[in-house]
Amino acid sequence: MPNIILSKNTKQIKGTVNLTGSKSECNRALIIEALSDGKVHVDNVSDAADAVLLAGILRKNQESRVKNQEVLAGEAKPLTTHHSPLTTIDIGPAGTAMRFLTAYYAIQDDEVILTGSKRMKERPIGILVDALRQLGAHIDYEENDGYPPIKLKGDFDQLTGKINIKGDISSQYITALLLIAARLPQGLELHIDGELTSRPYVEMTLAMLQTAGIKHVWTDNVIAIANQEFATTSLYIEPDWSAASYWYAIAALADEAELFLTGLTAYSLQGDSAITEIMANFGITSQFKDGGVHLLKEAKPLSRKIFDMKECPDLAQTVIVVCAALGHEATFTGLETLKIKETDRILALQTELAKMGVKLIEKGQVYKLDCSEKFIPESMFINTYHDHRMAMAFAPLALIVPQLEFENGPVVEKSYPAFWTDLEKQGFTVEQKA
């Protein structure tokens, strides 16, 4: 994979950026569409690699089911007695696809093996598998207990409608269960133990289900969804606020910034829209008009010292890098899930920030930046650790560091394929290096 050399000869930024559809919304919508028996249609499908991959897998599964129905119709046999040949599905590094497809295939008649990249085989899935087994799913581990690859054997027969799950784990486990809830014969009553991490992602899931006709009741720590039918509707995928966050970071590190990000609204299902409030601390104003959001850099002293990223952990790398670049010794909480992402994002941040003399010090569940030895190198080599967000979070440093080199430039395709092209359109110099 080619490396990317990135530079910017001025510290001014002005222009318009058209963002891809939200990967988070799109992945949820694709599962809803697949479960709806053709009633739900997804508009503005994201071109993020993860979403494209998930869409392809679900499309093939649907085509296979239609073919099986046609065959069985000729044989006059019920569909539930038929099993497709065992299929292995490789989802590569797509963590969301792994979690969502685990729940999806748990209630299908197909026998499949879900596997992925080396890193995917190191990312835990045991909590979700345990919950699905309690519900009645037949799932085996193919290699190491608690981790992919897993074998889902079909023949789902619901054993209970009530399960408990920890709230301080990846919200994708909870979302995966909620997405299939309406298809369960007994519905689902999900009891969340302890404080809920990444609550906006769960709220996004429920809001999208509601748009698709699926009602829920959320009382205290219990979310209940009865067995019910999907409505005939379309789900429109908003532009990606996670992608927008990198442009906010660029604006924060620029001397002068005027940017227009198209399609974004003040009322979003995405938790990462919190970037507007976070970046207001860095002098970035957000004005919603003309079918998008206008960003303007204004002089403002930076005083906020504590950032709680519990509800928007995917913004953590972006905000931490901006603070490090500005020499702002902030404290961060809510980073518990970062160690089980595409890479150990805490260790990756510590390693890369050290290249400019900045330390990210961990004390329990609190992380503090120490910028006392910060310096600006003439060039930096950024290891991306096969993590799209490492590349994009560090890219704004091109406004501070004369030259950046990123290992494996195409890693951004996972969520924002046009990232380097969009930077080039806004005056950055982007070169590929073999």
Side-chain angles (χ1 to χ4, degrees), residues 152-427:
L152 299 103
K153 296 186 287 186
D155 291 328
F156 179 82
D157 184 14
Q158 191 170 3
L159 302 176
T160 180
K162 299 180 182 180
I163 57 172
N164 289 60
I165 195 164
K166 293 180 180 179
D168 61 351
I169 44 89
S170 171
S171 63
Q172 292 176 7
Y173 298 153
I174 295 171
T175 283
L177 294 167
L178 295 175
L179 287 171
I180 65 169
R183 275 284 177 252
L184 301 177
Q186 301 176 34
L188 179 64
E189 190 175 287
L190 190 61
H191 294 249
I192 300 171
D193 297 332
E195 188 175 10
L196 177 60
T197 299
S198 304
R199 184 185 180 99
Y201 288 98
V202 175
E203 292 173 340
M204 177 200 295
T205 302
L206 293 171
M208 295 182 73
L209 283 168
Q210 187 160 318
T211 300
I214 302 301
K215 297 178 175 62
H216 71 275
V217 177
W218 190 343
T219 306
D220 298 327
N221 68 328
V222 179
I223 303 173
I225 297 178
N227 172 268
Q228 56 196 291
E229 291 298 318
F230 287 89
T232 300
T233 189
S234 292
L235 292 176
Y236 176 77
I237 307 304
E238 299 177 298
D240 194 351
W241 271 105
S242 303
S245 72
Y246 309 116
W247 294 100
Y248 273 87
I250 287 167
L253 296 186
D255 288 343
E256 299 175 17
E258 287 183 57
L259 285 169
F260 179 57
L261 309 181
T262 62
L264 295 169
T265 67
Y267 304 99
S268 173
L269 297 177
Q270 300 170 56
D272 285 352
S273 62
I275 195 67
T276 59
E277 181 270 328
I278 292 171
M279 284 297 169
N281 295 281
F282 297 84
I284 308 303
T285 63
S286 301
Q287 186 175 12
F288 292 91
K289 64 178 185 178
D290 306 324
V293 59
H294 293 263
L295 312 187
L296 182 65
K297 174 73 175 285
E298 297 179 345
K300 181 178 181 180
L302 179 53
S303 58
R304 181 171 171 180
K305 286 290 188 179
I306 299 175
F307 294 87
D308 183 358
M309 312 305 293
K310 177 180 63 181
E311 296 192 342
C312 49
D314 282 346
L315 299 180
Q317 290 147 290
T318 305
V319 179
I320 288 171
V321 171
V322 168
C323 286
L326 297 175
H328 183 58
E329 297 189 333
T331 298
F332 297 86
T333 59
L335 307 185
E336 291 80 13
T337 62
L338 264 63
K339 293 185 178 182
I340 59 167
K341 296 286 188 176
E342 282 81 347
T343 186
D344 179 341
R345 288 178 171 171
I346 297 298
L347 179 58
L349 281 166
Q350 290 170 330
T351 303
E352 300 310 304
L353 290 175
K355 296 174 181 178
M356 54 189 295
V358 175
K359 298 175 183 176
L360 180 62
I361 300 169
E362 179 179 358
K363 291 186 177 180
Q365 294 186 339
V366 177
Y367 299 81
K368 182 176 175 57
L369 281 175
D370 178 356
C371 303
S372 60
E373 298 180 12
K374 173 199 159 192
F375 64 95
I376 303 299
E378 283 300 310
S379 64
M380 278 179 68
F381 183 90
I382 307 296
N383 292 95
T384 59
Y385 307 90
H386 305 289
D387 184 350
H388 54 132
R389 300 207 188 281
M390 283 299 293
M392 293 185 287
F394 276 83
L397 285 183
L399 290 159
I400 305 291
V401 178
Q403 181 175 287
L404 300 176
E405 180 175 347
F406 293 86
E407 169 208 28
N408 184 13
V411 73
V412 301
E413 293 174 2
K414 181 177 175 68
S415 63
Y416 189 173
F419 181 67
W420 302 119
T421 302
D422 284 351
L423 285 178
E424 201 164 25
K425 289 177 181 177
Q426 302 307 324

Side-chain angles (χ1 to χ4, degrees), residues 3-8 395 398 404 406 409 418-433:
N3 289 1
I4 291 291
I5 309 294
L6 184 67
S7 60
K8 181 84 165 66
L404 300 176
F406 293 86
F419 181 67
W420 302 119
T421 302
D422 284 351
L423 285 178
E424 201 164 25
K425 289 177 181 177
Q426 302 307 324
F428 288 78
T429 301
V430 180
E431 303 174 54
Q432 286 194 11
K433 177 182 176 182

Side-chain angles (χ1 to χ4, degrees), residues 58-237:
L58 292 170
R59 183 175 59 252
K60 286 181 180 178
N61 179 70
Q62 185 60 30
E63 289 171 352
S64 175
R65 292 181 66 82
V66 169
K67 184 176 180 180
N68 289 338
Q69 286 174 328
E70 292 172 348
V71 170
L72 292 170
E75 297 175 359
K77 294 180 181 178
L79 180 61
T80 53
T81 66
H82 180 81
H83 289 279
S84 300
L86 179 63
T87 302
T88 297
I89 298 172
D90 188 342
I91 54 79
T96 306
M98 174 60 77
R99 277 74 177 264
F100 291 2
L101 287 174
T102 295
Y104 173 78
Y105 277 110
I107 63 170
Q108 304 299 313
D109 295 322
D110 309 290
E111 286 192 71
V112 301
I113 292 174
L114 293 180
T115 188
S117 64
K118 180 177 181 294
R119 173 60 181 167
M120 185 57 61
K121 293 180 180 182
E122 298 169 349
R123 297 179 68 179
I125 201 166
I127 290 174
L128 177 57
V129 169
D130 288 346
L132 291 166
R133 282 173 168 173
Q134 288 178 51
L135 287 172
H138 301 282
I139 306 174
D140 291 333
Y141 294 109
E142 292 291 284
E143 294 178 10
N144 298 315
D145 282 0
Y147 299 87
I150 56 174
K151 182 179 181 180
L152 299 103
K153 296 186 287 186
D155 291 328
F156 179 82
D157 184 14
Q158 191 170 3
L159 302 176
T160 180
K162 299 180 182 180
I163 57 172
N164 289 60
I165 195 164
K166 293 180 180 179
D168 61 351
I169 44 89
S170 171
S171 63
Q172 292 176 7
Y173 298 153
I174 295 171
T175 283
L177 294 167
L178 295 175
L179 287 171
I180 65 169
R183 275 284 177 252
L184 301 177
Q186 301 176 34
L188 179 64
E189 190 175 287
L190 190 61
H191 294 249
I192 300 171
D193 297 332
E195 188 175 10
L196 177 60
T197 299
S198 304
R199 184 185 180 99
Y201 288 98
V202 175
E203 292 173 340
M204 177 200 295
T205 302
L206 293 171
M208 295 182 73
L209 283 168
Q210 187 160 318
T211 300
I214 302 301
K215 297 178 175 62
H216 71 275
V217 177
W218 190 343
T219 306
D220 298 327
N221 68 328
V222 179
I223 303 173
I225 297 178
N227 172 268
Q228 56 196 291
E229 291 298 318
F230 287 89
T232 300
T233 189
S234 292
L235 292 176
Y236 176 77
I237 307 304

